[in-house]
Amino acid sequence: MGTILITVGTISSITGILAFLLSLANRTIANYGEVNITINDDKEYVVDGGDTLLSSLIENKIFIPSACGGKGSCGYCKVKVIEGGGPVLPTELGYLTDDDVKNNVRLSCQCKVKENIKIEIPEELFSVKEYDANVDYIKDVTPTIKHLRFKLPDDEEINFKPGQYIQLKAPKYKGNSEEVYRAYSIASSPFDTKHIELIIGYVPNGICTTYVHQFLNEKDNVVFNGPYGDFYYHDNDREMVMVGVGTGMAPILAILNYMKAENINRKATFYFGARHLEDLFFMDELENLQQELPNFRFIPCLSRATEEDGWDGEQGRVTDSLKKYLENGGNKEAYLCGSPRMIDSVVDILTNKGIPKDLIYYDKFE
Ligand SMILES: Cc1cc2nc3c(=O)[nH]c(=O)nc-3n(C[C@H](O)[C@H](O)[C@H](O)COP(=O)(O)OP(=O)(O)OC[C@H]3O[C@@H](n4cnc5c(N)ncnc54)[C@H](O)[C@@H]3O)c2cc1C
Ligand code: FES
């Protein structure tokens, strides 16, 4: 018994000493002091070393797309690191192409600023701003999806391309101890520069969607930054194939609203997927768009319609509707929004029907 107690005591002491040494090392070795971030050989910022590149940039009001909020799971936060930054980490490799690695492109949410660092970012990111807005309204459009409108302060406006997204900040709240940013596509027309509308689905236990669905109220203040994204309307005469599921309707709606405002009468078909009848929303708005844009056709499709739904429209997945209605060939381009799985299957169908990969634009919603 005595030997066991001595052994346990010795192990506990050694563990305690190691923990102490580790915390001491963290406090001393991990103190990198002030370091410089030089951007595009032009602008210089002094930051406290040790934080991620993404956080250090945000601290200086430079906003890099970071759709997963810095979790290392979206691959959106790529930045070219010319000098400093250390070796590429295993957590980055899954998101970097061979060309990225060759060109020193890094995930800014994984790369730490421990020494002076030189980076390159697209100039347009300097015009991304953070906005303090006010919630104009929040409406339930399905049992799990809300439609929100934010009003910008009188002296502010936002300019974006139809299809782009913003990043909404979820503050700390009861049950959530960290501030996070999440990406949401703008659903409203870019001609309304004083408001943005969003369509946000509920993800059980999701940090930001719990904030939006359970804590956010009309008249509350919200913080978001943007606009971001290379998924947006391309101005040409090609026929448009649009595919969205659930909240994936948001950026397509922005594109359609833009086309309506600009009187653009290209041939366009929107294949929209939902499960049950109660999951369909904005049906009147889409019906009106069909009236106003004579070459636009809306095809909603239910994958789990029940008899009580009395649904006489398309049944099955959006991919079934696409196979049924989309003709082969022709001069077409496509705009897709939804889960990665849906997008992958749709891309396969579209390429088989003759739409080149580089004319298929998409935003994958995780
Ligand atoms: C470019 C872009 C645009 C987007 N636009 C929209 C939009 O317009 N409307 C919208 O509602 N969402 C949109 N999203 C998704 C959105 O950014 C969030 O990922 C989503 O709202 C979940 O955030 P959360 O903080 O609530 O969940 P988190 O706290 O991030 O996640 C909680 C858990 O749920 C899982 N999870 C996350 N999302 C889903 C999901 N959709 N279904 C099932 N499990 C999930 C996570 O893996 C995690 O395990 C967009 C994403 C991207 C990349
Ligand atoms: S912010 Fe998503 S991977 Fe870096």
Side-chain angles (χ1 to χ4, degrees):
M1 184 67 177
T3 322
I4 294 175
L5 281 177
I6 291 168
T7 313
V8 171
T10 313
I11 292 173
S12 306
S13 316
I14 293 174
T15 316
I17 291 166
L18 282 177
F20 173 72
L21 287 176
L22 207 64
S23 88
L24 195 68
N26 253 337
R27 256 179 286 149
T28 49
I29 300 171
N31 181 1
Y32 300 98
E34 287 188 339
V35 293
N36 292 341
I37 302 181
T38 310
I39 307 180
N40 298 356
D41 261 336
D42 174 31
K43 300 183 176 65
E44 198 158 300
Y45 301 86
V46 180
V47 301
D48 285 332
D51 219 339
T52 66
L53 179 55
L54 179 71
S55 305
S56 306
L57 291 172
I58 290 177
E59 239 171 65
N60 285 285
K61 302 278 173 222
I62 296 161
F63 300 101
I64 306 291
S66 47
C68 71
K71 286 192 294 188
S73 61
C74 71
Y76 279 49
C77 61
K78 290 180 182 178
V79 159
K80 188 166 179 175
V81 176
I82 312 289
E83 228 177 84
V88 175
L89 304 172
T91 44
E92 299 172 68
L93 285 173
Y95 296 94
L96 301 177
T97 61
D98 291 346
D99 272 355
D100 285 341
V101 176
K102 243 186 268 161
N103 292 315
N104 299 323
V105 172
R106 304 284 307 271
L107 291 191
S108 60
C109 72
Q110 302 297 304
C111 169
K112 293 246 171 119
V113 186
K114 298 178 180 173
E115 57 187 327
N116 290 345
I117 188 167
K118 282 188 177 178
I119 64 168
E120 260 177 37
I121 61 171
E123 280 296 324
E124 72 231 28
L125 287 182
F126 288 109
S127 57
V128 169
K129 288 203 300 196
E130 186 137 83
Y131 296 88
D132 278 302
N134 199 263
V135 181
D136 239 5
Y137 60 70
I138 306 180
K139 293 177 186 165
D140 289 320
V141 290
T142 80
T144 55
I145 298 178
K146 287 186 189 289
H147 171 211
L148 303 97
R149 187 161 97 143
F150 299 161
K151 183 179 183 314
L152 270 57
D154 289 342
D155 56 346
E156 295 262 31
E157 61 174 30
I158 181 166
N159 293 296
F160 60 94
K161 296 179 188 164
Q164 287 193 303
Y165 68 92
I166 54 93
Q167 294 183 168
L168 178 64
K169 178 165 155 180
K172 293 177 187 171
Y173 56 82
K174 195 165 177 258
N176 172 43
S177 56
E178 50 168 346
E179 282 180 352
V180 301
Y181 285 86
R182 295 285 184 265
Y184 295 101
S185 304
I186 306 172
S188 44
S189 163
F191 292 111
D192 182 357
T193 56
K194 303 301 288 179
H195 301 92
I196 58 159
E197 291 176 38
L198 305 177
I199 297 171
I200 302 188
Y202 178 60
V203 172
N205 302 320
I207 296 177
C208 193
T209 55
T210 300
Y211 157 64
V212 168
H213 278 251
Q214 293 175 13
F215 292 91
L216 190 65
N217 294 303
E218 290 180 354
K219 300 204 165 47
D220 281 356
N221 284 326
V222 280
V223 174
F224 68 86
N225 55 51
Y228 300 104
D230 46 18
F231 176 81
Y232 49 77
Y233 177 78
H234 293 250
D235 192 16
N236 58 62
D237 289 332
R238 288 190 196 98
E239 179 180 337
M240 299 165 84
V241 180
M242 303 159 158
V243 186
V245 169
T247 53
M249 181 190 285
I252 310 268
L253 210 54
I255 291 175
L256 288 167
N257 279 324
Y258 171 79
M259 287 168 63
K260 181 179 96 175
E262 286 285 87
N263 231 339
I264 296 170
N265 218 345
R266 291 167 67 175
K267 189 168 179 198
T269 309
F270 179 21
Y271 299 85
F272 177 67
R275 287 186 179 172
H276 306 284
L277 191 66
E278 64 176 15
D279 301 321
L280 289 177
F281 59 100
F282 286 165
M283 298 303 276
D284 290 345
E285 283 82 350
L286 283 150
E287 181 51 45
N288 289 342
L289 280 163
Q290 285 198 119
Q291 306 299 328
E292 284 152 343
L293 299 170
N295 286 322
F296 167 61
R297 186 172 171 209
F298 176 54
I299 304 183
C301 178
L302 294 186
S303 61
R304 297 194 193 164
T306 58
E307 237 172 69
E308 297 86 73
D309 285 340
W311 173 250
D312 59 1
E314 293 303 314
Q315 299 216 16
R317 296 180 181 278
V318 272
T319 43
D320 299 320
S321 293
L322 269 175
K323 285 180 195 157
K324 186 167 158 191
Y325 291 109
L326 184 65
E327 285 170 12
N328 282 333
N331 188 16
K332 300 188 181 91
E333 65 184 15
Y335 296 82
L336 327 175
C337 241
S339 69
R341 234 178 50 187
M342 179 285 264
I343 294 205
D344 291 345
S345 341
V346 170
V347 168
D348 280 349
I349 296 171
L350 298 181
T351 47
N352 283 333
K353 295 235 182 206
I355 304 183
K357 261 200 167 139
D358 61 340
L359 293 182
I360 304 177
Y361 312 110
Y362 53 76
D363 252 350
K364 289 185 176 177
F365 288 13
E366 211 28 271

